[in-house]
Amino acid sequence: MNRVLHYALLVVCFSAISWAASSCDFIVVTASESNNTVNEAADTYRQLLEQDQTLARLKAREGFHADILRQNDTYLLKVGPFHNSDALTLAYLKIRSVFPQAFILEDTHSKKVIIPKTKFIEKKVYVEKEDPILWIALFGLGIIGIFALFLSSDQIKHINIKHAKMQEKQKETEKRQNLILAKMGEKIQDAVLENLESETKILTTVPSKSSEMVKVKHEIEHIKKYDDELLNTTYEMIDFLKIKSANIILHQEPFQLSMLLHKLTNSISGLLQAHNITFYYDVKTNVTRYLVGDALRIFQILHNILLNSLEDDESTNSKIMLSIEINEKEKELVFKIMNENQYLPQDKIDALFVPSSWEELQKTNKDIGFFVTNELVSQMDGTFGIESSQKKGTTYELRLPYMKDPQERSNRERLREILKGKNVHIIDDDTLNMEIFKYILESFDVKVERELTSHFRQYKPKHADWDIVILNSKDITPMHLEFFQKMRQKKGLKVILLHEIFESEDLADIALQITDVEIYSPIIPGDVEEALFQLFMAPKGRDRAAEGISAPPYEHNVNTIKITKAPKVSRESFRKFAGKDILLAEDNFVNQKVMSSILSASDIHVHKAENGREALEILKNYDIDLVLMDMNMPVMDGFAATRKIKEDPELKEIPIVAVTGLGFSHEIERMGQAGVDACIVKPFKIGQLYTAMDTYLAQDEVLPSTHQKAFNAYVPNKEILDLEQGIVNAHNEMFYREILKDVEELLDRSNEHFLSMIHERKTKELQVFSRDTLSLVETVGAVRLTKIFKEILVFLANNQDVSLEEYIPVYRTEWSRLKREIEHYLKP
């Protein structure tokens, strides 16, 4: 009997020891640094207990309870303990339905062991022989314990697998729901677009003479405003849902970095100008001209980041820098946007990634919120983060996987050999511009000198040992024109012109007469490399046979392909082309909408395509009169689409006008090689669009000849006096001769007065005189004098302090030449 009792006590002790050694599980409902947040979660948990009968019964049976604990700086809402794995699993699933962030925590806190005091008592001990049954019992209990632990761990593993499958199924359901909603959004978008087109047509065609019609138009404009908002919201929702449902296609294709960056600059130029913000690029020299990735999505991400940087910057005259570098070690492409004047507290940064409502997101100018941007970056295997401090400002960092362009389209090494030792002189009042140029150019082993424009004007060198000079178009003066024209003629000087984001188009056009190559601000290493290639490596006239290139029959000269003429026209002018079918191939939604609005309002049939492949399908199904083609589109770009159109015998006669942001001469040449008939460079004027359509759509009119036989056989020098153009302007030669006499007399009388206005700096008087005289000399075809007066007006409009003394000898020379030509021509 004593032996049986002894064994029973051993079993009880072993069970107690096993239970004490095992760990208890808890459910952490939430964790936060804020005590208020945890208290609110506790209230929600109590409400859940009241509402969920299953959880309430579990609590009554298992006896678990909720406690708020503090560990270091974090507050925890902990529910437990749970000794039964089934109860733990069921409770966890119930709690997680309300608290998705909940997780299971094993309590690893060791039990406090109390060591009893020991007494030594002298007593005789009788040692009996060891009983083998005792060891068998202990061994059996051990086997049972191990088996119980095995069953418990296997059950937990099974629950975890089941839970993972449930999560995967939930994600798949969410993806399908988002995809269905995206498809529904696309249908709404199509309907709204049709509404907008109808509303625009009504607004431009319905007369508004009566008060009733004015009210009708006002109501339609009101409806159109809401349709615009609905369209933009739908567009954003579709993109958001596609990203969330992982239904977007990320293209891994080579793209030209400079094209993406200039597109980025144009997209924010309005905000930059409104806030007087200077925008710079800091592209490291290890960044190649071509990168591999999804250019459209990278643009979208950078555009959103820049808008946020501009949106929260309330200061003026700020400087924002976008730096780009390649981390060779990590194989990452790193974009950093830095604004020293912007500070974002941590709670505001958090709110950017998790906005409280869709309405909050709509208050911004961004295409998509940062929470979607973060999702998009994640799908591109990248990372995105924001750091901000009051001292250093705000830095937005985007890291994407870097993939090398397989074609290695760079001439850097060959250029370094050609340019080694050459002297480059930079003239600019913007010191940061000069620093960026110096950093880029020194990688080509050239000698770089810098000089402020203000210093150059005061101390014009008589002799300069320069091979290349870089000028800023906004700083051009008459002195530049005279000085660099002579330098180019005598010493073969090469001139690179930097165009600023906001500059006078007229001043830029004047600067082109002393320019070899153009670069557009902000400065990008790839553009500088391309400019140097054009100056020193591009062949003047290519031997295509030697290069293995067959010249297509539709190749154009750069000067003939670019449309610059922009007469003053209105929407009403486009009615001339009513009934024509125009194909608009444009992936940019805003551009598509603007151009479609102009054309549709004039009863022109507009067919839209968002990529080259769609354009080809439309051309096969409709009789198109003219194609307006964007060259930079997804799926199939404008170059590939144009080549396919020109290679098709049934389509090759359709004129193609490129409407694009590509403005470099080599880019325009490439368009001509593809088969483009004409090119309009963005941002374009509506008059240029009219010129293109008038060229390719209007019927050829046979005008009556206005050129009569001259009164004598003398034909003036066309570079000084364009006789044919003058007679066309005057409609007949007799009237032209009369106008010519008046012009000669006027200039003769005002010669000294004009020169005195320059000497005495009577700028306002000179401006009025030059404007009036310009119309006369342009009418009679006085080519060189027309150029002089245009330049003077441009300089007066852009810089009132500029010195015009350089024009005095030039004007005297050109006036005497014109007078001689007029006298010879008018001689009986």
Side-chain angles (χ1 to χ4, degrees), residues 175-191:
K175 284 182 181 180
R176 290 179 181 178
Q177 289 173 346
N178 289 333
L179 185 58
I180 291 168
L181 289 171
K183 295 294 182 184
M184 291 169 64
E186 286 175 356
K187 289 185 178 180
I188 296 171
Q189 189 182 43
D190 292 339

Side-chain angles (χ1 to χ4, degrees), residues 264-309:
L264 195 63
T265 306
N266 292 336
S267 69
I268 61 168
S269 59
L271 283 170
L272 294 175
Q273 192 169 23
H275 296 281
N276 197 24
I277 294 173
T278 306
F279 183 40
Y280 293 97
Y281 289 121
D282 179 18
V283 184
K284 306 305 181 185
T285 53
N286 70 335
V287 179
T288 52
R289 287 180 61 215
Y290 282 82
L291 299 172
V292 178
D294 194 319
L296 186 64
R297 292 299 178 181
I298 294 173
F299 166 80
Q300 190 178 28
I301 293 167
L302 293 176
H303 184 235
N304 285 339
I305 298 172
L306 278 170
L307 285 177
N308 194 79
S309 180

Side-chain angles (χ1 to χ4, degrees), residues 280 426-434 451-457 470-472 474-476 480 498 500 799:
Y280 293 97
I426 307 169
I427 303 174
D428 200 332
D429 274 334
D430 190 324
T431 54
L432 186 52
N433 269 350
M434 291 197 288
E451 183 178 9
L452 294 173
T453 304
S454 52
H455 183 272
F456 175 76
R457 288 176 184 171
I470 299 175
L471 304 174
N472 195 316
K474 68 179 176 60
D475 296 330
I476 295 295
H480 286 85
L498 173 65
E500 292 291 341
N799 190 348

Side-chain angles (χ1 to χ4, degrees), residues 556 560-563 656-659 671 675-680 692 696:
H556 297 267
T560 61
I561 193 173
K562 189 174 179 180
I563 294 176
I656 299 174
V657 177
V659 184
M671 292 178 214
V676 166
D677 297 280
C679 167
I680 300 172
Y696 295 103

